[in-house]
Amino acid sequence: MSFPALSSIMDSMIDWLFGKPLEAGAKAPDFTLADQDGKKHTLSKLRGKNVVLVFYPADETPTCRAQLCEFRDEWAEVKAKNALVFGVNPGSADNHARFRDNRSLPFPLLVDEGQQVARMYSASGLMVRRTVYLIGPDGVIRYAERGKPEPAKVLAAAG
């Protein structure tokens, strides 16, 4: 392997390990993705609502399950904040549908084939980097954090 190729791999690994999410105050990149039922969702068509994007590595893993179920359990607060929640990862529609049904999730799980949207939101890598965004009604990012922040902390950015 040549030195430039190795350098590129190392840069990618360092970014995956230590890279930051998009900054609050930035315009959220627009996208269209299908959910577990094949219904298409376009971010720009959701203006007027707060939109929570939860990028997570895999369906039915302990931390992912806990994180998405926390948003389910805070559903009254989600609705009170005029918010929509979307789970996002590259899993199949069938896997998403089973996960959503098994856990009674009241929100769609979007199929991000090839991590195209995760890449736009600085959440892509060998596996999706657990990252949560709240996008305001104006399409501007109001909250961005890696990991598993509490839903109340995320929703506080909705105002």
Side-chain angles (χ1 to χ4, degrees):
M1 182 178 300
S2 70
F3 181 71
L6 181 58
S7 177
S8 177
I9 291 170
M10 292 302 293
D11 287 346
S12 293
M13 288 177 62
I14 289 169
D15 183 55
W16 188 81
L17 288 169
F18 302 108
K20 297 182 186 259
L22 300 178
E23 297 276 332
K27 183 174 166 64
D30 196 21
F31 64 86
T32 299
L33 288 176
D35 67 17
Q36 72 285 335
D37 299 322
K39 180 181 177 191
K40 300 225 181 219
H41 300 269
T42 300
L43 181 63
S44 60
K45 291 183 179 177
L46 302 175
R47 291 291 196 294
K49 299 268 189 187
N50 290 298
V51 176
V52 176
L53 300 177
V54 181
F55 289 91
Y56 65 103
D59 296 332
E60 289 295 1
T61 59
T63 304
C64 297
R65 183 172 46 243
Q67 182 174 34
L68 293 172
C69 287
E70 286 173 2
F71 278 97
R72 175 202 64 201
D73 296 346
E74 296 296 327
W75 199 243
E77 184 65 15
V78 169
K79 293 187 78 65
K81 294 289 188 171
N82 188 34
L84 302 170
V85 175
F86 295 93
V88 186
N89 88 10
S92 72
D94 289 343
N95 282 346
H96 284 354
R98 277 192 298 279
F99 180 38
R100 186 174 186 257
D101 291 347
N102 287 346
R103 302 299 164 192
S104 302
L105 301 176
F107 49 84
L109 301 179
L110 304 179
V111 178
D112 185 16
E113 197 170 317
Q115 296 187 40
Q116 293 176 2
V117 174
R119 195 169 298 108
M120 293 165 51
Y121 280 82
S122 188
S124 66
L126 297 173
M127 57 191 276
V128 172
R129 295 165 62 180
R130 188 178 310 284
T131 309
V132 179
Y133 289 95
L134 185 132
I135 301 160
D138 56 358
V140 173
I141 296 169
R142 292 186 175 183
Y143 179 90
E145 187 173 326
R146 296 270 191 244
K148 187 179 158 297
E150 296 293 321
K153 183 177 177 185
V154 176
L155 294 168

